[in-house]
Amino acid sequence: MNTNTPGVSQDPEEIVKASEEAMAAIIKARQEVARVIFGQESVVERTLVTILSGGHGLLVGVPGLAKTKLVETLGTVLGLDARRIQFTPDLMPSDILGSEVMEEGPDGSRAFRFLQGPVFAQLLMADEINRASPRTQSALLQSMQEYHVTIAGHRHDLPRPFHVLATQNPLEQEGTYPLPEAQLDRFLMQIDVHYPDLEAERRILLETTGAEEAAVSAVVGAEELMRIQGLVRQIPVGEAVIEAILRLVRAARPDQMEAGNPLSDLIAWGPGPRASQALMLTVRARALLDGRLAPSIEDVFALAEPVLQHRMALTFAARADGQTVPGIIRTIVERQL
């Protein structure tokens, strides 16, 4: 989770002024994305929340739902250097991080030179990340968490800002390597991408199969994006919202449930403190995205599923009974209302 975004003045009037400017930029960005991405308003919102919070996102959905198009569009609209890696089982760490090569100078001298891999981007799309071997997945983990890579003992810092938007196909699991819990926890949110509704699919047919397709342009630059990310961390959070976050996260931990709670037999392990941190950031970003100066309890409940679902697991008995993590989260949220 990115903690090195530029700071913003603590003066309330300065924060309000900066927030209003940020809202105007965000509105333009959403309008620009909406020109080419149809029927995925929730996905666009959650992806923008992830980026505005300075984190990484995991997009889960079947092929053909515009996941790649969304990342490509966001890279253009946000003015970021965007690159894409198609993960395969034979992909090596050096294929994404880079490697050192021996070069011979005009005088016959030899020296190593580092060739940057595609991870040196501001917005990286890791397509079908679960197809990469654990060795390659762990190499990406360091860049996601520490914002630098180490090659031959030398540290190489990644560009700023740096965000990873990875995709997974939830249906096909043959020849894949499930992401370990430690790496899943590095993703700020898991964003489920569903089929568009009838009217959205009708618009897709009409607007993407003609002679011309809509093009988008940059409305936010990298520096402005980093300023907004710094602003998100300055937005005040009320005590009621903090309490709602703590109650929600702790209610998803089986060892902290009250005696007799039936959910304690359904959850194998629950979310850790990083989930609370993620909610504290994302509710602020969602408020800013909606044109508000402070988050509400409704923001906490709206983001509970994408923030918690990849940070907890069900028991075998719960899975055998047909229970799902999103369903359990919805039950927990309903009990908090």
Side-chain angles (χ1 to χ4, degrees):
M1 195 177 299
N2 189 350
T3 60
N4 296 321
T5 47
V8 180
S9 171
Q10 292 282 353
D11 180 56
E13 293 185 3
E14 290 289 330
I15 293 177
V16 170
K17 181 180 178 182
S19 297
E20 291 173 348
E21 294 174 352
M23 290 173 193
I26 292 170
I27 288 173
K28 290 181 181 178
R30 293 188 73 169
Q31 291 173 342
E32 199 70 11
V33 172
R35 295 179 58 197
V36 295
I37 303 296
F38 314 123
Q40 299 288 3
E41 289 80 7
S42 176
V43 174
V44 172
E45 177 191 85
R46 292 177 177 182
T47 307
L48 282 172
V49 165
T50 299
I51 294 176
L52 295 179
S53 302
H56 312 292
L58 181 63
L59 300 167
V60 179
V62 299
L65 297 183
K67 298 185 296 295
T68 303
K69 184 68 173 178
L70 172 61
V71 179
E72 175 188 323
T73 302
L74 286 173
T76 302
V77 170
L78 299 178
L80 302 178
D81 174 22
R83 300 185 187 182
R84 175 176 177 267
I85 303 174
Q86 180 65 53
F87 280 77
T88 57
D90 60 345
L91 199 70
M92 298 297 292
S94 59
D95 293 327
I96 63 173
L97 303 181
S99 58
E100 289 194 330
V101 297
M102 177 75 75
E103 284 190 341
E104 184 173 342
D107 58 353
S109 61
R110 295 181 179 180
F112 283 103
R113 182 168 69 91
F114 176 63
L115 296 179
Q116 294 183 350
V119 76
F120 284 84
Q122 293 173 320
L123 182 62
L124 177 68
M125 179 175 188
D127 211 355
E128 295 189 283
I129 188 174
N130 56 330
R131 290 199 177 280
S133 67
R135 182 180 179 187
T136 304
Q137 290 177 4
S138 64
L140 183 62
L141 173 63
Q142 181 192 23
S143 64
M144 291 172 56
Q145 181 66 19
E146 302 177 16
Y147 298 91
H148 70 263
V149 300
T150 303
I151 305 294
H154 297 289
R155 168 175 169 156
H156 302 275
D157 292 328
L158 295 170
R160 307 308 294 270
F162 174 71
H163 301 282
V164 174
L165 294 178
T167 70
Q168 278 192 170
N169 178 357
L171 300 181
E172 188 178 0
Q173 300 301 322
E174 185 177 351
T176 64
Y177 302 86
L179 294 175
E181 289 76 10
Q183 182 152 349
L184 280 173
D185 202 27
R186 263 60 178 184
F187 288 102
L188 193 69
M189 290 202 294
Q190 176 181 315
I191 304 165
D192 291 337
V193 186
H194 302 291
Y195 291 111
D197 59 30
L198 177 61
E199 289 307 313
E201 192 160 359
R202 185 191 306 276
R203 188 180 174 193
I204 291 171
L205 291 178
L206 295 175
E207 304 216 15
T208 63
T209 60
E212 295 183 2
E213 285 193 41
V216 296
S217 57
V219 297
V220 179
E223 290 298 323
E224 185 175 2
L225 175 60
M226 293 181 71
R227 284 194 294 271
I228 296 175
Q229 290 173 343
L231 173 66
V232 166
R233 290 176 172 270
Q234 300 293 328
I235 292 177
V237 181
E239 189 63 31
V241 175
I242 296 174
E243 287 299 320
I245 292 173
L246 291 172
R247 287 198 312 270
L248 177 67
V249 174
R250 296 176 72 83
R253 298 171 183 165
D255 59 336
Q256 294 179 352
M257 294 179 180
E258 66 275 8
N261 190 329
L263 294 180
S264 61
D265 296 328
L266 302 178
I267 303 175
W269 48 269
R274 191 176 278 123
S276 304
Q277 292 175 314
L279 279 170
M280 276 289 285
L281 284 173
T282 54
V283 296
R284 290 161 159 166
R286 188 175 189 265
L288 197 65
L289 202 64
D290 286 346
R292 292 177 279 117
L293 297 177
S296 65
I297 295 177
E298 286 70 25
D299 292 318
V300 178
F301 295 150
L303 294 174
E305 185 176 320
V307 169
L308 298 183
Q309 65 178 329
H310 60 297
R311 292 185 165 98
M312 53 191 296
L314 303 184
T315 61
F316 175 79
R319 297 196 303 273
D321 194 39
Q323 300 284 350
T324 63
V325 172
I328 295 295
I329 294 174
R330 285 192 290 271
T331 300
I332 295 173
V333 169
E334 289 170 0
R335 294 186 175 188
Q336 301 294 317
L337 294 176

